Amino acid sequence: MSVPLTIALDAMGGDHGPEIVISGASLSLIHHPDLSFLLFGNEQSISAQLKSHPNVAGRSRIIHTEIAVPMDAKPSQALRKGRWKSSMWLAIEAVKKGEASAIVSAGNTGALMAMSKFCLHALPEIERPAIAAIWPTVDNECIVLDVGANVGADAGQLFSFALMGAAMARALMGIDRPKVGLLNVGVEEIKGLEEIRKASTMLRETELPFEYHGFVEGDDVGQGTVDVVVTEGFSGNIALKTAEGTAKQIGQYLRAAMTRSWLSRIGAFLAQDAFKALKDKMDPRHLNGGIFLGLNGISIKSHGNTDAIGFASAIDLGYDMAKSELVSRITNDLRTFHAAPELQQQRVS
Amino acid sequence: MSVPLTIALDAMGGDHGPEIVISGASLSLIHHPDLSFLLFGNEQSISAQLKSHPNVAGRSRIIHTEIAVPMDAKPSQALRKGRWKSSMWLAIEAVKKGEASAIVSAGNTGALMAMSKFCLHALPEIERPAIAAIWPTVDNECIVLDVGANVGADAGQLFSFALMGAAMARALMGIDRPKVGLLNVGVEEIKGLEEIRKASTMLRETELPFEYHGFVEGDDVGQGTVDVVVTEGFSGNIALKTAEGTAKQIGQYLRAAMTRSWLSRIGAFLAQDAFKALKDKMDPRHLNGGIFLGLNGISIKSHGNTDAIGFASAIDLGYDMAKSELVSRITNDLRTFHAAPELQQQRVS
C-alpha cells in the first residue's frame, strides 16, 4: 500500500508541547516518508519548531487554535471548554471528517478519552471502549487491554475486549490466530470474579478468529504466554504501572550494583554494549502509546512526559494501525463473531 | 525477650515435602537458636531427613500423621478429608492450643487459608482475613495486602486491612507510625472504585496509629512511597505476580545481554560480585512467606516450590511475628482505633 497517509497531531498536548511533538514527527517521517501531518495548535509556537525540522514543515499543514486542554483539567471541564475549538478536539475531528487516518496526542488522558468518545463515537457493538497497551515480553510483545479506560467490566465487555485485542494483534503483529488469555488470579479458593468466569465460558463456546488460551496470571504477561491479555481497567492499569515500576526499580538496583567497586565499574565499562542493548530492550519509549479501541477512528495517547523518540513511537503506532485498517478489521470481527445466542442470554440474565 | 519459641511446621506441605521443610528449619535455627519445632507429618520421612540435620532433631518433636493435604485439593475437599487429622490441620491446631506460636506451611494455599480460618477463627472485628506479602522496595521493604485471600473488598474491609498492615509494619519493621497508602488508578476520569474512595474518606477522618498517605499507584509500590499498600485481593494478587514476572523477565534480558559478545562476557566476569549482589537483592527467597492477617494466631504460607533458604525465610517471618506479638497488637489496634461512628454509618448505608 502506498497511499499517502495523514496523521492529526495535537501539537499542544503533553508536558513539552510543540517542541516534542514536532521533533517526534520529524523522527517518524524518517521511518515513514509517505506520512503527512495536520498540526493543531498555536501557529506561532508550531512555526518556531518547524524551522528546526524542515522535513516536517514540507509535509504538514498548521491549523491554528487558541485553546489547549490543560494537563490537569477534568474530562468534563475539558469537554465544556475545549469542545469544537481546542487543538485536541480539532485533531480528533480531523479523523472524523476523514482528513486524517489517526490522531495522536500526549495530552490529558481523561480529556482525550472523553473527547474521542464524544467526537468519534463508539462502534455500534461496543458498550465501552478500552485502552490497549503494548507490553514487552521475553521474546516479543503482547497487547494488554483494558489498561484504564474504565473500572470493572462485565462478561460481555471482556468478550468484546478479546475480539478487539485480537484484531489489533492481527493488524500489528501479523499473527493469523493470536492467542488470547483472560487475566485472573490463580489462588484455588477464589478462582476470580464471576464475570471473568462467565467471559471464559463465552470465549470457549464461541467460534472465534483467534485461539482462546484460558486464564493467565500476572507473571504470564511478560513471559509472552499469550499475544493478548484481557482484563478490566482497574487491574490492567495497576498491572501496567506495577510492571513499569518494577523495571525502574531493577534499573536502580543494577546501577547501584555496577558502581559498587572499581572491578564492577571496569566490568560495566567492558560490557557497555550489553548494557546498551539491555537499556534499549527496557526502554519504555519504544512501546509508547496507548490506543483507544472500540471507536470509529484511531485515537492514540502518548505518555505526557515522553521525548521525541517516545512521541515518534506513538505516531508510528498510529501509522501501523491506520495502514492495517484496524477499525474496519475490528468492525468486521465484531459483526461476524459474537457469542452464541444462549451465551448472550446468560449475559442478560 | 529470650522466652523460647516453638513453631509448628507442616512437614508434608509444598512440592518437596519434609526434605525442604527440615533443611529450612535447620537454616532458621542458625538464625534463631532459641527456636524449637513441632513437626507434623509422616514420621518415617521426617526421621530420615532429621538424620542429616541433627540441630533440628535436637530441638523438635514429631507428631505422626497419616494424611497430607494434596497440593491440588480444593479447599472444601481438603477440609472434608483433612480436618482433625492432616499434618496441615494438626499444625494449625497446635497454634490454637497454645503449643506453638506460629504455623508455617508450604502446602496448598486455599486449604491452608480455609483450615486456618476454620481452626483459628477470625478476630471479632474482622469480616475477612487478608494475605499480606512483603515486597522489596528500592531502599527497603513494604507490606502489601490483600494479595489474594479474597476477591473484592468494601470500604470497611479496606479500613481493617490498613489497620492490620500498619500493625504488621510496626511489628516487623519497627516503624512507629507507618505510612499507609490505598492502591488506586491515576487516570483522572475514572478515579477508582467507589469503595476505595469511601475507604479513603474513612482513613482520612479517623484518628489512627499510622499516617494515611492517600492513594498510591502501581509504580509507587516498589519505589517505597509508603510502608503499607492496601488493596483488595484480586488486584493485589495480579500486582504481586506481575512484579515477580517482570523481575524474572528482566533477569532473562540481563543474562542474554551479558552473553552476547566475548567483551560482555569478560565484563560480566569482572563484575561478578556486583551481579551477585544484584541477584541477592532480587532473590524472591529472601522475602518468601505470605501471612494470614486477621486470625487468632499466626499462620504463614511459604511458596510451594521454594527451597531450604526460602522456607527458612518463611520460618523467620513467623518467628519475628510471634516475638513481636503481632496478633495482640492487631487485636489491640482493632479495638482501640476504628472509624468514627458517622463513617461507620456511611458504610452500612
Side-chain angles (χ1 to χ4, degrees), chain A residues 136-138 148 151 190 193 217 223 241 249 252-253 257 267 274-275 281, chain B residues 136-138 148 151 190 193 217 223 241 249 252-253 257-258 267 274 281:
Chain A
T137 63
V138 174
V151 158
I190 44 177
L193 302 161
E217 295 192 54
Q223 292 299 312
K241 295 252 171 79
Q249 181 183 354
Q252 288 162 309
Y253 290 166
F275 280 111
K281 182 92 189 169
Chain B
T137 64
V138 173
V151 157
I190 44 176
L193 302 162
E217 294 192 55
Q223 292 300 312
K241 295 252 170 80
Q249 181 183 355
Q252 287 161 308
Y253 290 166
M258 286 302 149
K281 183 91 189 172

PDB file of all heavy atoms in Angstrom, chain A residues 136-138 148 151 190 193 217 223 241 249 252-253 257 267 274-275 281, chain B residues 136-138 148 151 190 193 217 223 241 249 252-253 257-258 267 274 281:
ATOM      1  N   PRO A 136       6.100  -5.290  26.563  1.00  0.00           N
ATOM      2  CA  PRO A 136       7.229  -6.103  26.126  1.00  0.00           C
ATOM      3  C   PRO A 136       7.206  -7.479  26.784  1.00  0.00           C
ATOM      4  O   PRO A 136       6.891  -7.600  27.972  1.00  0.00           O
ATOM      5  CB  PRO A 136       8.451  -5.311  26.611  1.00  0.00           C
ATOM      6  CG  PRO A 136       7.943  -4.477  27.742  1.00  0.00           C
ATOM      7  CD  PRO A 136       6.504  -4.187  27.452  1.00  0.00           C
ATOM      8  N   THR A 137       7.509  -8.514  26.023  1.00  0.00           N
ATOM      9  CA  THR A 137       7.616  -9.860  26.597  1.00  0.00           C
ATOM     10  C   THR A 137       9.041 -10.352  26.378  1.00  0.00           C
ATOM     11  O   THR A 137       9.833  -9.688  25.708  1.00  0.00           O
ATOM     12  CB  THR A 137       6.634 -10.834  25.922  1.00  0.00           C
ATOM     13  OG1 THR A 137       7.004 -10.949  24.542  1.00  0.00           O
ATOM     14  CG2 THR A 137       5.210 -10.342  26.022  1.00  0.00           C
ATOM     15  N   VAL A 138       9.343 -11.515  26.912  1.00  0.00           N
ATOM     16  CA  VAL A 138      10.709 -12.034  26.826  1.00  0.00           C
ATOM     17  C   VAL A 138      11.186 -12.063  25.375  1.00  0.00           C
ATOM     18  O   VAL A 138      12.276 -11.584  25.068  1.00  0.00           O
ATOM     19  CB  VAL A 138      10.778 -13.446  27.450  1.00  0.00           C
ATOM     20  CG1 VAL A 138      12.147 -14.048  27.236  1.00  0.00           C
ATOM     21  CG2 VAL A 138      10.478 -13.354  28.938  1.00  0.00           C
ATOM     22  N   GLY A 148      -7.077   0.984  31.585  1.00  0.00           N
ATOM     23  CA  GLY A 148      -7.530   2.101  32.388  1.00  0.00           C
ATOM     24  C   GLY A 148      -8.619   2.990  31.814  1.00  0.00           C
ATOM     25  O   GLY A 148      -8.839   4.085  32.324  1.00  0.00           O
ATOM     26  N   VAL A 151     -13.296   1.328  35.018  1.00  0.00           N
ATOM     27  CA  VAL A 151     -13.135   0.442  36.153  1.00  0.00           C
ATOM     28  C   VAL A 151     -14.207  -0.634  36.042  1.00  0.00           C
ATOM     29  O   VAL A 151     -15.375  -0.321  35.856  1.00  0.00           O
ATOM     30  CB  VAL A 151     -13.269   1.215  37.478  1.00  0.00           C
ATOM     31  CG1 VAL A 151     -13.641   0.295  38.616  1.00  0.00           C
ATOM     32  CG2 VAL A 151     -11.988   1.951  37.793  1.00  0.00           C
ATOM     33  N   ILE A 190     -10.309 -18.888  45.353  1.00  0.00           N
ATOM     34  CA  ILE A 190     -11.114 -17.751  44.950  1.00  0.00           C
ATOM     35  C   ILE A 190     -11.480 -17.784  43.464  1.00  0.00           C
ATOM     36  O   ILE A 190     -12.547 -17.389  43.083  1.00  0.00           O
ATOM     37  CB  ILE A 190     -10.485 -16.402  45.356  1.00  0.00           C
ATOM     38  CG1 ILE A 190      -8.999 -16.366  45.074  1.00  0.00           C
ATOM     39  CG2 ILE A 190     -10.769 -16.096  46.785  1.00  0.00           C
ATOM     40  CD1 ILE A 190      -8.374 -15.020  45.391  1.00  0.00           C
ATOM     41  N   LEU A 193     -13.324 -13.566  39.609  1.00  0.00           N
ATOM     42  CA  LEU A 193     -14.647 -12.998  39.653  1.00  0.00           C
ATOM     43  C   LEU A 193     -15.613 -13.737  38.751  1.00  0.00           C
ATOM     44  O   LEU A 193     -15.221 -14.308  37.729  1.00  0.00           O
ATOM     45  CB  LEU A 193     -14.558 -11.535  39.219  1.00  0.00           C
ATOM     46  CG  LEU A 193     -13.617 -10.665  40.059  1.00  0.00           C
ATOM     47  CD1 LEU A 193     -13.246  -9.411  39.306  1.00  0.00           C
ATOM     48  CD2 LEU A 193     -14.281 -10.326  41.379  1.00  0.00           C
ATOM     49  N   GLU A 217      -2.092 -15.576  34.539  1.00  0.00           N
ATOM     50  CA  GLU A 217      -1.842 -14.820  35.760  1.00  0.00           C
ATOM     51  C   GLU A 217      -0.871 -13.681  35.478  1.00  0.00           C
ATOM     52  O   GLU A 217      -0.309 -13.572  34.390  1.00  0.00           O
ATOM     53  CB  GLU A 217      -1.292 -15.755  36.829  1.00  0.00           C
ATOM     54  CG  GLU A 217      -2.308 -16.801  37.253  1.00  0.00           C
ATOM     55  CD  GLU A 217      -1.870 -17.527  38.511  1.00  0.00           C
ATOM     56  OE1 GLU A 217      -1.571 -16.864  39.515  1.00  0.00           O
ATOM     57  OE2 GLU A 217      -1.828 -18.763  38.486  1.00  0.00           O
ATOM     58  N   GLN A 223       5.998 -13.032  30.208  1.00  0.00           N
ATOM     59  CA  GLN A 223       6.585 -14.251  29.649  1.00  0.00           C
ATOM     60  C   GLN A 223       6.068 -14.514  28.244  1.00  0.00           C
ATOM     61  O   GLN A 223       6.549 -15.417  27.561  1.00  0.00           O
ATOM     62  CB  GLN A 223       6.295 -15.461  30.554  1.00  0.00           C
ATOM     63  CG  GLN A 223       7.006 -15.405  31.905  1.00  0.00           C
ATOM     64  CD  GLN A 223       8.523 -15.382  31.782  1.00  0.00           C
ATOM     65  OE1 GLN A 223       9.108 -16.171  31.062  1.00  0.00           O
ATOM     66  NE2 GLN A 223       9.167 -14.434  32.458  1.00  0.00           N
ATOM     67  N   LYS A 241       1.271  -0.317  35.590  1.00  0.00           N
ATOM     68  CA  LYS A 241       2.102   0.594  36.391  1.00  0.00           C
ATOM     69  C   LYS A 241       3.064  -0.195  37.287  1.00  0.00           C
ATOM     70  O   LYS A 241       4.190   0.239  37.534  1.00  0.00           O
ATOM     71  CB  LYS A 241       1.201   1.479  37.275  1.00  0.00           C
ATOM     72  CG  LYS A 241       0.318   2.431  36.481  1.00  0.00           C
ATOM     73  CD  LYS A 241       0.785   3.868  36.596  1.00  0.00           C
ATOM     74  CE  LYS A 241       0.074   4.804  35.654  1.00  0.00           C
ATOM     75  NZ  LYS A 241      -1.270   5.195  36.142  1.00  0.00           N
ATOM     76  N   GLN A 249      12.749   0.036  39.195  1.00  0.00           N
ATOM     77  CA  GLN A 249      13.391  -0.362  40.438  1.00  0.00           C
ATOM     78  C   GLN A 249      14.611  -1.254  40.175  1.00  0.00           C
ATOM     79  O   GLN A 249      15.676  -1.064  40.758  1.00  0.00           O
ATOM     80  CB  GLN A 249      12.324  -1.121  41.238  1.00  0.00           C
ATOM     81  CG  GLN A 249      12.710  -1.628  42.579  1.00  0.00           C
ATOM     82  CD  GLN A 249      11.541  -2.425  43.190  1.00  0.00           C
ATOM     83  OE1 GLN A 249      10.436  -2.475  42.625  1.00  0.00           O
ATOM     84  NE2 GLN A 249      11.777  -3.062  44.318  1.00  0.00           N
ATOM     85  N   GLN A 252      17.454   0.682  38.919  1.00  0.00           N
ATOM     86  CA  GLN A 252      18.133   1.368  40.026  1.00  0.00           C
ATOM     87  C   GLN A 252      19.083   0.412  40.763  1.00  0.00           C
ATOM     88  O   GLN A 252      20.220   0.764  41.069  1.00  0.00           O
ATOM     89  CB  GLN A 252      17.100   1.962  40.998  1.00  0.00           C
ATOM     90  CG  GLN A 252      16.367   3.181  40.420  1.00  0.00           C
ATOM     91  CD  GLN A 252      15.070   3.509  41.163  1.00  0.00           C
ATOM     92  OE1 GLN A 252      14.227   2.628  41.363  1.00  0.00           O
ATOM     93  NE2 GLN A 252      14.892   4.752  41.559  1.00  0.00           N
ATOM     94  N   TYR A 253      18.615  -0.818  41.035  1.00  0.00           N
ATOM     95  CA  TYR A 253      19.475  -1.826  41.671  1.00  0.00           C
ATOM     96  C   TYR A 253      20.726  -2.055  40.827  1.00  0.00           C
ATOM     97  O   TYR A 253      21.835  -2.167  41.342  1.00  0.00           O
ATOM     98  CB  TYR A 253      18.763  -3.183  41.757  1.00  0.00           C
ATOM     99  CG  TYR A 253      17.615  -3.303  42.709  1.00  0.00           C
ATOM    100  CD1 TYR A 253      16.761  -4.404  42.622  1.00  0.00           C
ATOM    101  CD2 TYR A 253      17.379  -2.367  43.711  1.00  0.00           C
ATOM    102  CE1 TYR A 253      15.703  -4.569  43.493  1.00  0.00           C
ATOM    103  CE2 TYR A 253      16.307  -2.524  44.578  1.00  0.00           C
ATOM    104  CZ  TYR A 253      15.470  -3.629  44.464  1.00  0.00           C
ATOM    105  OH  TYR A 253      14.414  -3.792  45.316  1.00  0.00           O
ATOM    106  N   ALA A 257      24.541  -1.585  41.801  1.00  0.00           N
ATOM    107  CA  ALA A 257      25.441  -2.740  41.867  1.00  0.00           C
ATOM    108  C   ALA A 257      26.684  -2.499  41.015  1.00  0.00           C
ATOM    109  O   ALA A 257      27.804  -2.838  41.411  1.00  0.00           O
ATOM    110  CB  ALA A 257      24.712  -4.000  41.391  1.00  0.00           C
ATOM    111  N   GLY A 267      34.124  -3.843  34.787  1.00  0.00           N
ATOM    112  CA  GLY A 267      33.262  -4.842  34.149  1.00  0.00           C
ATOM    113  C   GLY A 267      32.137  -4.176  33.380  1.00  0.00           C
ATOM    114  O   GLY A 267      31.855  -4.522  32.234  1.00  0.00           O
ATOM    115  N   ALA A 274      26.528  -4.467  25.966  1.00  0.00           N
ATOM    116  CA  ALA A 274      25.474  -5.326  26.506  1.00  0.00           C
ATOM    117  C   ALA A 274      24.484  -4.497  27.316  1.00  0.00           C
ATOM    118  O   ALA A 274      23.267  -4.667  27.200  1.00  0.00           O
ATOM    119  CB  ALA A 274      26.086  -6.410  27.386  1.00  0.00           C
ATOM    120  N   PHE A 275      25.006  -3.566  28.099  1.00  0.00           N
ATOM    121  CA  PHE A 275      24.104  -2.726  28.899  1.00  0.00           C
ATOM    122  C   PHE A 275      23.259  -1.838  28.002  1.00  0.00           C
ATOM    123  O   PHE A 275      22.099  -1.576  28.288  1.00  0.00           O
ATOM    124  CB  PHE A 275      24.894  -1.880  29.907  1.00  0.00           C
ATOM    125  CG  PHE A 275      25.288  -2.657  31.119  1.00  0.00           C
ATOM    126  CD1 PHE A 275      26.608  -2.978  31.363  1.00  0.00           C
ATOM    127  CD2 PHE A 275      24.323  -3.115  32.005  1.00  0.00           C
ATOM    128  CE1 PHE A 275      26.966  -3.725  32.474  1.00  0.00           C
ATOM    129  CE2 PHE A 275      24.672  -3.856  33.116  1.00  0.00           C
ATOM    130  CZ  PHE A 275      25.999  -4.168  33.354  1.00  0.00           C
ATOM    131  N   LYS A 281      16.223  -2.566  25.224  1.00  0.00           N
ATOM    132  CA  LYS A 281      15.151  -3.555  25.378  1.00  0.00           C
ATOM    133  C   LYS A 281      14.139  -3.074  26.422  1.00  0.00           C
ATOM    134  O   LYS A 281      12.943  -3.302  26.293  1.00  0.00           O
ATOM    135  CB  LYS A 281      15.794  -4.879  25.814  1.00  0.00           C
ATOM    136  CG  LYS A 281      14.854  -6.028  25.974  1.00  0.00           C
ATOM    137  CD  LYS A 281      14.723  -6.849  24.708  1.00  0.00           C
ATOM    138  CE  LYS A 281      13.596  -7.861  24.860  1.00  0.00           C
ATOM    139  NZ  LYS A 281      13.227  -8.513  23.636  1.00  0.00           N
TER     140      LYS A 281
ATOM    141  N   PRO B 136       9.813  -6.101  48.089  1.00  0.00           N
ATOM    142  CA  PRO B 136      11.062  -5.331  48.115  1.00  0.00           C
ATOM    143  C   PRO B 136      10.870  -3.950  47.499  1.00  0.00           C
ATOM    144  O   PRO B 136      10.173  -3.814  46.491  1.00  0.00           O
ATOM    145  CB  PRO B 136      12.011  -6.169  47.258  1.00  0.00           C
ATOM    146  CG  PRO B 136      11.123  -6.982  46.372  1.00  0.00           C
ATOM    147  CD  PRO B 136       9.845  -7.209  47.134  1.00  0.00           C
ATOM    148  N   THR B 137      11.434  -2.943  48.113  1.00  0.00           N
ATOM    149  CA  THR B 137      11.397  -1.604  47.526  1.00  0.00           C
ATOM    150  C   THR B 137      12.829  -1.158  47.250  1.00  0.00           C
ATOM    151  O   THR B 137      13.781  -1.858  47.613  1.00  0.00           O
ATOM    152  CB  THR B 137      10.737  -0.598  48.478  1.00  0.00           C
ATOM    153  OG1 THR B 137      11.553  -0.489  49.648  1.00  0.00           O
ATOM    154  CG2 THR B 137       9.338  -1.027  48.874  1.00  0.00           C
ATOM    155  N   VAL B 138      12.972  -0.002  46.638  1.00  0.00           N
ATOM    156  CA  VAL B 138      14.299   0.469  46.248  1.00  0.00           C
ATOM    157  C   VAL B 138      15.242   0.469  47.450  1.00  0.00           C
ATOM    158  O   VAL B 138      16.355  -0.044  47.389  1.00  0.00           O
ATOM    159  CB  VAL B 138      14.207   1.874  45.623  1.00  0.00           C
ATOM    160  CG1 VAL B 138      15.589   2.444  45.363  1.00  0.00           C
ATOM    161  CG2 VAL B 138      13.420   1.808  44.324  1.00  0.00           C
ATOM    162  N   GLY B 148      -4.526 -11.845  47.831  1.00  0.00           N
ATOM    163  CA  GLY B 148      -5.251 -12.952  47.237  1.00  0.00           C
ATOM    164  C   GLY B 148      -6.113 -13.789  48.149  1.00  0.00           C
ATOM    165  O   GLY B 148      -6.543 -14.867  47.757  1.00  0.00           O
ATOM    166  N   VAL B 151     -11.535 -11.947  46.699  1.00  0.00           N
ATOM    167  CA  VAL B 151     -11.730 -11.056  45.567  1.00  0.00           C
ATOM    168  C   VAL B 151     -12.667  -9.948  46.022  1.00  0.00           C
ATOM    169  O   VAL B 151     -13.716 -10.227  46.599  1.00  0.00           O
ATOM    170  CB  VAL B 151     -12.331 -11.820  44.378  1.00  0.00           C
ATOM    171  CG1 VAL B 151     -13.037 -10.883  43.438  1.00  0.00           C
ATOM    172  CG2 VAL B 151     -11.248 -12.595  43.640  1.00  0.00           C
ATOM    173  N   ILE B 190     -11.457   8.215  35.791  1.00  0.00           N
ATOM    174  CA  ILE B 190     -12.115   7.095  36.451  1.00  0.00           C
ATOM    175  C   ILE B 190     -11.947   7.123  37.967  1.00  0.00           C
ATOM    176  O   ILE B 190     -12.835   6.757  38.692  1.00  0.00           O
ATOM    177  CB  ILE B 190     -11.704   5.729  35.860  1.00  0.00           C
ATOM    178  CG1 ILE B 190     -10.208   5.638  35.623  1.00  0.00           C
ATOM    179  CG2 ILE B 190     -12.453   5.452  34.596  1.00  0.00           C
ATOM    180  CD1 ILE B 190      -9.783   4.269  35.126  1.00  0.00           C
ATOM    181  N   LEU B 193     -12.535   2.968  42.291  1.00  0.00           N
ATOM    182  CA  LEU B 193     -13.817   2.439  42.694  1.00  0.00           C
ATOM    183  C   LEU B 193     -14.391   3.216  43.871  1.00  0.00           C
ATOM    184  O   LEU B 193     -13.665   3.759  44.699  1.00  0.00           O
ATOM    185  CB  LEU B 193     -13.642   0.976  43.087  1.00  0.00           C
ATOM    186  CG  LEU B 193     -13.074   0.081  41.983  1.00  0.00           C
ATOM    187  CD1 LEU B 193     -12.524  -1.203  42.566  1.00  0.00           C
ATOM    188  CD2 LEU B 193     -14.152  -0.219  40.953  1.00  0.00           C
ATOM    189  N   GLU B 217      -0.207   4.529  43.278  1.00  0.00           N
ATOM    190  CA  GLU B 217      -0.412   3.777  42.045  1.00  0.00           C
ATOM    191  C   GLU B 217       0.559   2.593  41.990  1.00  0.00           C
ATOM    192  O   GLU B 217       1.451   2.471  42.819  1.00  0.00           O
ATOM    193  CB  GLU B 217      -0.207   4.690  40.844  1.00  0.00           C
ATOM    194  CG  GLU B 217      -1.270   5.775  40.781  1.00  0.00           C
ATOM    195  CD  GLU B 217      -1.251   6.501  39.439  1.00  0.00           C
ATOM    196  OE1 GLU B 217      -1.347   5.839  38.404  1.00  0.00           O
ATOM    197  OE2 GLU B 217      -1.144   7.738  39.451  1.00  0.00           O
ATOM    198  N   GLN B 223       8.778   1.650  44.648  1.00  0.00           N
ATOM    199  CA  GLN B 223       9.562   2.848  44.972  1.00  0.00           C
ATOM    200  C   GLN B 223       9.549   3.122  46.474  1.00  0.00           C
ATOM    201  O   GLN B 223      10.257   4.001  46.949  1.00  0.00           O
ATOM    202  CB  GLN B 223       9.020   4.079  44.211  1.00  0.00           C
ATOM    203  CG  GLN B 223       9.235   4.017  42.693  1.00  0.00           C
ATOM    204  CD  GLN B 223      10.712   3.928  42.295  1.00  0.00           C
ATOM    205  OE1 GLN B 223      11.533   4.688  42.777  1.00  0.00           O
ATOM    206  NE2 GLN B 223      11.045   2.969  41.434  1.00  0.00           N
ATOM    207  N   LYS B 241       2.045 -10.836  41.237  1.00  0.00           N
ATOM    208  CA  LYS B 241       2.527 -11.775  40.217  1.00  0.00           C
ATOM    209  C   LYS B 241       3.162 -11.023  39.050  1.00  0.00           C
ATOM    210  O   LYS B 241       4.116 -11.496  38.447  1.00  0.00           O
ATOM    211  CB  LYS B 241       1.355 -12.629  39.697  1.00  0.00           C
ATOM    212  CG  LYS B 241       0.747 -13.545  40.743  1.00  0.00           C
ATOM    213  CD  LYS B 241       1.099 -15.003  40.493  1.00  0.00           C
ATOM    214  CE  LYS B 241       0.701 -15.899  41.640  1.00  0.00           C
ATOM    215  NZ  LYS B 241      -0.729 -16.248  41.612  1.00  0.00           N
ATOM    216  N   GLN B 249      11.616 -11.604  33.997  1.00  0.00           N
ATOM    217  CA  GLN B 249      11.809 -11.224  32.597  1.00  0.00           C
ATOM    218  C   GLN B 249      13.086 -10.385  32.428  1.00  0.00           C
ATOM    219  O   GLN B 249      13.881 -10.615  31.515  1.00  0.00           O
ATOM    220  CB  GLN B 249      10.575 -10.414  32.193  1.00  0.00           C
ATOM    221  CG  GLN B 249      10.502  -9.909  30.802  1.00  0.00           C
ATOM    222  CD  GLN B 249       9.227  -9.064  30.624  1.00  0.00           C
ATOM    223  OE1 GLN B 249       8.394  -8.972  31.535  1.00  0.00           O
ATOM    224  NE2 GLN B 249       9.075  -8.452  29.466  1.00  0.00           N
ATOM    225  N   GLN B 252      16.106 -12.428  32.647  1.00  0.00           N
ATOM    226  CA  GLN B 252      16.352 -13.133  31.381  1.00  0.00           C
ATOM    227  C   GLN B 252      17.026 -12.211  30.362  1.00  0.00           C
ATOM    228  O   GLN B 252      17.971 -12.600  29.682  1.00  0.00           O
ATOM    229  CB  GLN B 252      15.029 -13.679  30.824  1.00  0.00           C
ATOM    230  CG  GLN B 252      14.498 -14.881  31.619  1.00  0.00           C
ATOM    231  CD  GLN B 252      13.009 -15.138  31.378  1.00  0.00           C
ATOM    232  OE1 GLN B 252      12.176 -14.235  31.498  1.00  0.00           O
ATOM    233  NE2 GLN B 252      12.654 -16.370  31.061  1.00  0.00           N
ATOM    234  N   TYR B 253      16.534 -10.959  30.265  1.00  0.00           N
ATOM    235  CA  TYR B 253      17.157  -9.976  29.362  1.00  0.00           C
ATOM    236  C   TYR B 253      18.632  -9.793  29.727  1.00  0.00           C
ATOM    237  O   TYR B 253      19.500  -9.731  28.873  1.00  0.00           O
ATOM    238  CB  TYR B 253      16.515  -8.586  29.510  1.00  0.00           C
ATOM    239  CG  TYR B 253      15.116  -8.415  28.999  1.00  0.00           C
ATOM    240  CD1 TYR B 253      14.381  -7.277  29.361  1.00  0.00           C
ATOM    241  CD2 TYR B 253      14.524  -9.329  28.148  1.00  0.00           C
ATOM    242  CE1 TYR B 253      13.099  -7.067  28.899  1.00  0.00           C
ATOM    243  CE2 TYR B 253      13.233  -9.132  27.688  1.00  0.00           C
ATOM    244  CZ  TYR B 253      12.526  -8.003  28.069  1.00  0.00           C
ATOM    245  OH  TYR B 253      11.254  -7.798  27.622  1.00  0.00           O
ATOM    246  N   ALA B 257      21.859 -10.397  27.503  1.00  0.00           N
ATOM    247  CA  ALA B 257      22.726  -9.284  27.126  1.00  0.00           C
ATOM    248  C   ALA B 257      24.176  -9.578  27.495  1.00  0.00           C
ATOM    249  O   ALA B 257      25.102  -9.278  26.734  1.00  0.00           O
ATOM    250  CB  ALA B 257      22.254  -7.997  27.808  1.00  0.00           C
ATOM    251  N   MET B 258      24.377 -10.211  28.657  1.00  0.00           N
ATOM    252  CA  MET B 258      25.735 -10.398  29.162  1.00  0.00           C
ATOM    253  C   MET B 258      26.492 -11.520  28.461  1.00  0.00           C
ATOM    254  O   MET B 258      27.687 -11.705  28.679  1.00  0.00           O
ATOM    255  CB  MET B 258      25.696 -10.660  30.677  1.00  0.00           C
ATOM    256  CG  MET B 258      25.386  -9.419  31.473  1.00  0.00           C
ATOM    257  SD  MET B 258      26.589  -8.114  31.146  1.00  0.00           S
ATOM    258  CE  MET B 258      25.577  -6.656  31.357  1.00  0.00           C
ATOM    259  N   GLY B 267      33.325  -8.583  30.810  1.00  0.00           N
ATOM    260  CA  GLY B 267      32.775  -7.552  31.700  1.00  0.00           C
ATOM    261  C   GLY B 267      31.944  -8.174  32.806  1.00  0.00           C
ATOM    262  O   GLY B 267      32.082  -7.836  33.983  1.00  0.00           O
ATOM    263  N   ALA B 274      29.192  -7.720  41.680  1.00  0.00           N
ATOM    264  CA  ALA B 274      28.057  -6.813  41.526  1.00  0.00           C
ATOM    265  C   ALA B 274      26.816  -7.600  41.111  1.00  0.00           C
ATOM    266  O   ALA B 274      25.716  -7.386  41.630  1.00  0.00           O
ATOM    267  CB  ALA B 274      28.375  -5.742  40.483  1.00  0.00           C
ATOM    268  N   LYS B 281      19.700  -9.232  45.924  1.00  0.00           N
ATOM    269  CA  LYS B 281      18.678  -8.205  46.132  1.00  0.00           C
ATOM    270  C   LYS B 281      17.356  -8.640  45.498  1.00  0.00           C
ATOM    271  O   LYS B 281      16.279  -8.362  46.021  1.00  0.00           O
ATOM    272  CB  LYS B 281      19.178  -6.898  45.499  1.00  0.00           C
ATOM    273  CG  LYS B 281      18.291  -5.700  45.666  1.00  0.00           C
ATOM    274  CD  LYS B 281      18.623  -4.905  46.915  1.00  0.00           C
ATOM    275  CE  LYS B 281      17.562  -3.847  47.148  1.00  0.00           C
ATOM    276  NZ  LYS B 281      17.703  -3.163  48.409  1.00  0.00           N
TER     277      LYS B 281
END
